[in-house]
Amino acid sequence: MERRQLSGLALIVGALLSLAGAGRAAAAVPRFDTAEIVLHSTAPYDGAQGSPNPFTDVALTAQVTSPGGAVYTVQGFFDGDGAGGQVGDVFKVRVFADEIGTWTWTTTSDDPGLDGKAGSFECAGTLAGAFGEGPIAAHATYPRSFRHRAGGAVYLLAKYLDTAAPSPLQFSQTLFSEARSESDRAALLARHAAMKLNKINVYLANVGDYGTGVPTTPWLGPATASDKQRFDLSRWRTYERWVGTMRDAGFATQLWFFADNSDFGDLPAADRDRLVRYGMARLSGYANTLFTLMTEWQEGWTQAEVHAAMDHLQQHNPWGRLASVHGLPGDFSFPAAPWADYLVVQVGVGGVDHVDVHQSTLRNRALAAKPLQEEEFWLGQESLAGRQMAWAAFTGGAAGSGTGAFLRQLAELVATVPFERMAPADPLVLAGSAYALAEPGEAYVFYLPDGGAIEADLRGVSGSFDADWFDPRTGAFQAVPAVEGGAVRSFTAPAAGDWTLRLLREPDPPPPPPPPPDGSFHTLAPCRLLDTREPGQGPALASDVVRLVTLAGRCGVPAGAAALSLNVTVTAPGGPGHLTLAPGGVGLPATSTLNFGAGATRANNAILSLAPDGSGTLAALAHLAGGGTVHLILDVNGYFD
């Protein structure tokens, strides 16, 4: 499986394709990008004060048909002059283009200029970056984890409470506030990228949370006296621009419609529903979005109102974006609700410790087979207590966290283990103090919040396990001798303080190489034929996708070579798996060339025949449990003619 951790920050918004009126787009939309259908009403509307009100009095929907025949009903929205102005004739429909091929659409509206329009656009290629593997979804095989819909598992890490940051970067939920500058927003994203985070929480409406000086007002007018029937289009352009920026930088954007401390529970249901509809129409077409209805629903909302509002949200969620709600400290209130795609838990940000976080995670994880986010348990100080809580959530089986400390180091460890297949396993700790997460017989993580020594129960499992101590302060690994299964094993942390122990089962030895082919052998000076880490030679091999590579004509290998003597290396695998190499065009054998574990670099010598048609090609297929990628390196030292 591929681990999604950020390697840099790209602050470039992906351009949306405008499909004006009817007809075919001039350029194709990449898969998982957002297509924008632009329509014009018969006459301009005044979105500031005119009547009819285009936000309440004009209906627009599109029936959108994918290349595979799926039909979506998508709500359109008024966008003023199309450039942030309140007056204009521009209406838009946003389409999440997740299939290659020709998409078609037709519209229905009570405005004659918008009604009965039709068109199509092409989807080809794939969106660049992390979301080129699709939106965040619940893992189909391991439903308590997240994954990219067309890719590998992902552990969502955010730090929306970050008092270790300088003001005004401490609270990501204020990112869209009209009190924040563009440089504030860029600085916050850069900080979060440096911590290897991959999720950012942002409010769409806020009056009083984090004080009254950082409102986020999607409606026209000031925060305390806004017109709930009209949206401020210049602010919405800011919202969508930064959602796109976060997508291109690899961040999932968790959009929270209503803040606490803002009396939104007292709003008429019609006003709340209008914001939900407009927000979903305008932003859910982006691949990186997921949604939370409100913070602390108990502040002014009844359970019946939550159910009704979330049902309304899901009715206007054509692209299946994940959605949930957030409550006061305590267990998740709606685990069985069909509208709750994931669970959001607040343990509390005062008077709690890592034991509370771990126990909360264990309890809530057991409530439903859905991903659990331990969203709120720490204000973000970079301290031992915050670090212990973040690790307590991870080893408790959470699918992600919203705060904590030393998160870059946690992200680095998470990227080396098959976390989606692992489950809480504290009973494996027979002596000492530690939390355990395990895929028995394959992978183990023991977190020792106070260091010291533990005894781990490895009875009932066989094989040898690579062992490392991981320093959660620095992110450094310290290898220790491999251990054998079949017994209780003792481990002692290398120094004082908290430590993490990682055990990964050593892969089975590869099968012996096949006998050399007939023909003369010619020695070559060792030379690198392929390295998928290098520009122009990548990308990494994707799990279960055959890659055909041409090797003849390089490093002195002649066009007529029948077979090569190679050193085969794999590195940076997202999980355990195996690599199969075979002559191009003849099918792949059942036996593998090389087996590997998660995060390991493995090498093997092999003599491999090239394609019998003289093309000099070799087929490569990697399989990783759970999906993901692995890099392949081929070094040649001779050939057979």
Side-chain angles (χ1 to χ4, degrees), residues 341-426:
D341 298 316
Y342 58 95
L343 281 57
V344 182
V345 173
Q346 176 184 178
V347 183
V349 292
V352 299
D353 60 16
H354 62 86
V355 175
D356 299 312
V357 173
H358 193 70
Q359 291 302 315
S360 168
T361 308
L362 294 174
R363 281 196 316 274
N364 283 276
R365 190 180 189 275
L367 294 178
K370 300 176 180 180
L372 165 67
Q373 293 202 81
E374 278 290 0
E375 199 65 54
E376 187 170 351
F377 51 79
W378 188 243
L379 285 173
Q381 305 95 320
E382 291 292 304
S383 67
L384 169 63
R387 184 170 67 242
Q388 289 172 325
M389 292 185 196
W391 282 89
F394 172 63
T395 53
S401 295
T403 186
F406 292 82
L407 296 182
R408 177 183 63 80
Q409 292 83 350
L410 175 59
E412 290 170 347
L413 184 283
V414 167
T416 71
V417 297
F419 57 86
E420 76 283 6
R421 304 200 311 269
M422 303 171 77
D426 293 347

Side-chain angles (χ1 to χ4, degrees), residues 245-549:
T245 297
M246 287 185 276
R247 181 198 66 184
D248 296 342
F251 286 99
T253 303
Q254 187 169 336
L255 296 166
W256 302 57
F257 278 103
F258 299 100
D260 58 344
N261 302 311
S262 301
D263 297 324
F264 290 137
D266 296 333
L267 283 180
D271 290 343
R272 294 195 301 238
D273 288 348
R274 186 178 304 109
L275 176 59
V276 168
R277 287 195 306 275
Y278 195 81
M280 296 301 289
R282 191 148 189 158
L283 299 175
S284 70
Y286 290 85
N288 60 319
T289 53
L290 58 159
F291 295 88
T292 303
L293 183 65
M294 81 293 279
T295 46
E296 301 185 352
W297 67 265
Q298 295 91 338
E299 291 187 9
W301 301 68
T302 66
Q303 286 203 10
E305 287 175 322
V306 173
H307 280 292
M310 284 300 299
D311 285 340
H312 186 77
L313 185 155
Q314 294 290 19
Q315 290 164 11
H316 294 84
N317 186 12
W319 315 119
R321 295 293 177 261
L322 300 184
S324 192
V325 298
H326 173 280
L328 289 167
D331 294 342
F332 189 74
S333 302
F334 309 96
W339 49 256
D341 298 316
Y342 58 95
L343 281 57
V344 182
V345 173
Q346 176 184 178
V347 183
V349 292
V352 299
D353 60 16
H354 62 86
V355 175
D356 299 312
V357 173
H358 193 70
Q359 291 302 315
S360 168
T361 308
L362 294 174
R363 281 196 316 274
N364 283 276
R365 190 180 189 275
L367 294 178
K370 300 176 180 180
L372 165 67
Q373 293 202 81
E374 278 290 0
E375 199 65 54
E376 187 170 351
F377 51 79
W378 188 243
L379 285 173
Q381 305 95 320
E382 291 292 304
S383 67
L384 169 63
R387 184 170 67 242
Q388 289 172 325
M389 292 185 196
W391 282 89
F394 172 63
T395 53
S401 295
T403 186
F406 292 82
L407 296 182
R408 177 183 63 80
Q409 292 83 350
L410 175 59
E412 290 170 347
L413 184 283
V414 167
T416 71
V417 297
F419 57 86
E420 76 283 6
R421 304 200 311 269
M422 303 171 77
D426 293 347
L428 293 177
V429 181
L430 301 181
S433 178
Y435 303 130
L437 189 73
E439 181 189 12
E442 295 294 334
Y444 300 83
V445 172
F446 298 94
Y447 177 66
L448 289 64
D450 301 307
I454 63 168
E455 292 184 356
D457 188 356
L458 298 183
R459 294 173 298 185
V461 300
S462 61
S464 182
F465 294 84
D466 292 329
D468 301 273
W469 284 105
F470 178 80
D471 188 338
R473 292 160 292 275
T474 66
F477 283 97
Q478 296 184 31
V480 296
V483 298
E484 296 295 323
V488 175
R489 301 300 181 189
S490 298
F491 303 91
T492 301
D498 58 321
W499 285 86
T500 299
L501 174 67
R502 182 188 66 171
L503 304 178
L504 297 175
R505 188 177 186 276
E506 291 183 348
D508 295 330
D518 295 333
S520 300
F521 179 71
H522 304 273
T523 301
L524 293 172
C527 180
R528 182 145 296 179
L529 281 170
L530 178 72
D531 187 341
T532 60
R533 300 169 300 177
E534 295 297 323
Q537 299 186 52
L541 301 182
S543 182
D544 298 321
V545 177
V546 176
R547 175 82 59 83
L548 197 66
V549 293

